[in-house]
């Protein structure tokens, strides 16, 4: 039985998928701007929504911190930059791959 968790490393602008503390995938991400930084700490994925529309791209995974999530983008050039209002932005194909793997309840750590 897989034991997935997610670590978002803001300084590296990378999201890592771990299974039993072993990194199995790494994805480049866009993160919060200086004035709207991504929140640090421990969260969980509380909901999943395909095709949320607008700037959220192909998929939305909501975090236990209200109004924050891991989502796709309608602006792929933003990945790798400090661009969002605090959410973790991924390429659409990456967020779809991740969403297909991780269940609701997956732990998400956001760190510098």
């Amino acid at each position: 039985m897989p034991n997935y968790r997610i670590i978002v490393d803001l300084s590296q602008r990378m999201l890592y998928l771990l299974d039993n503390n072993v990194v199995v995938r790494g994805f480049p991400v866009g993160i919060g701007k200086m004035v709207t930084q991504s929140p640090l700490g421990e969260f969980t994925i509380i909901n999943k929504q395909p095709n949320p529309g607008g700037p959220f791209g192909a998929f939305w995974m909501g975090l236990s911190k209200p109004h924050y999530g891991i989502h796709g983008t309608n602006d792929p050039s933003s990945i790798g930059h400090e661009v969002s209002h605090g959410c973790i932005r991924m390429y659409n194909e990456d967020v779809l791959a991740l969403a297909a793997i991780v269940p609701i309840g997956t732990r998400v750590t956001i760190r510098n």
Side-chain angles (χ1 to χ4, degrees):
M1 179 89 185
N3 181 21
Y4 290 122
R5 66 190 188 100
I6 292 169
I7 294 179
V8 178
D9 190 301
L10 297 178
S11 62
Q12 295 180 349
R13 297 190 179 109
M14 287 291 291
L15 180 152
Y16 297 104
L17 174 64
L18 289 80
D19 181 7
N20 288 315
N21 296 320
V22 176
V23 174
V24 291
R25 296 285 300 268
F27 302 99
V29 294
I31 62 170
K33 295 186 282 233
M34 191 63 73
V35 291
T36 54
Q37 292 182 353
S38 300
L40 300 177
E42 299 282 338
F43 310 100
T44 53
I45 294 173
I46 59 164
N47 58 42
K48 296 166 81 171
Q49 173 69 48
N51 301 309
F56 304 121
F59 210 92
W60 164 271
M61 290 183 280
L63 297 178
S64 51
K65 184 175 179 70
H67 313 296
Y68 289 91
I70 299 168
H71 63 78
T73 182
N74 59 358
D75 179 11
S77 66
S78 66
I79 302 302
H81 302 282
E82 295 181 11
V83 286
S84 75
H85 289 112
C87 289
I88 305 303
R89 224 182 255 191
M90 302 178 70
Y91 290 116
N92 285 325
E93 59 268 26
D94 288 351
V95 79
L96 288 170
L98 182 64
I101 297 170
V102 297
I104 289 173
T106 299
R107 290 182 298 146
V108 178
T109 302
I110 301 178
R111 67 183 189 199
N112 276 322

